[in-house]
Amino acid sequence: SFSIDSSFNSDLYFKYTFGITTYEAHPENIIIKVNKLLSKYLISQPLHHTQEILEENADFVIFSYFLLPSFELKMQLLGFGADISIIKPESLKKDIIKTAKKIVQNYD
């Protein structure tokens, strides 16, 4: 039989996640730079409630998030292709670069 844990708070549990994946770690400041076209999408459809605009000009917008850098977040960011670059954290940036290189190798 199943019993609901009345002490479980799903809003708190998933507060700093993108998607449904969560794990024992601390959320990080994630900063991305996107072109103006993608910025219009992200402004109208924020990726997460922690989204903030740090800088905006005629060519690009820099957004920040406070999230766990999960697999699902990585897949979303990769889906934006050449319209995005990861500024921070360095570990996520390196992971995206590594994956992008593997993608290119699949077509060599």
Side-chain angles (χ1 to χ4, degrees):
S1 76
F2 176 77
S3 61
I4 297 174
D5 180 357
S6 61
S7 67
F8 179 74
N9 182 329
S10 61
D11 290 336
L12 185 59
Y13 186 75
F14 291 107
K15 185 174 184 177
Y16 299 112
T17 63
F18 180 84
I20 62 169
T21 303
T22 186
Y23 51 91
E24 292 294 323
H26 296 288
E28 298 182 48
N29 286 315
I30 296 171
I31 301 175
I32 62 173
K33 178 180 176 182
V34 304
N35 65 24
K36 284 302 277 192
L37 181 61
L38 179 55
S39 75
K40 291 177 183 181
Y41 173 77
L42 292 176
I43 289 168
S44 69
Q45 302 292 315
L47 290 180
H48 193 260
H49 67 87
T50 60
Q51 177 174 297
E52 293 181 24
I53 295 175
L54 298 181
E55 183 180 340
E56 185 172 5
N57 66 34
D59 299 319
F60 63 84
V61 176
I62 297 178
F63 292 94
S64 72
Y65 303 89
F66 192 62
L67 291 167
L68 291 168
S70 66
F71 175 79
E72 290 154 306
L73 177 63
K74 178 181 151 184
M75 292 300 102
Q76 179 70 51
L77 297 176
L78 283 165
F80 294 138
D83 296 327
I84 184 175
S85 59
I86 311 301
I87 297 173
K88 285 184 177 181
E90 191 66 27
S91 58
L92 179 60
K93 182 178 179 178
K94 287 179 180 180
D95 197 18
I96 294 287
I97 291 168
K98 182 179 174 182
T99 302
K101 286 179 180 179
K102 286 181 182 178
I103 292 168
V104 171
Q105 288 174 353
N106 287 345
Y107 294 92
D108 285 342

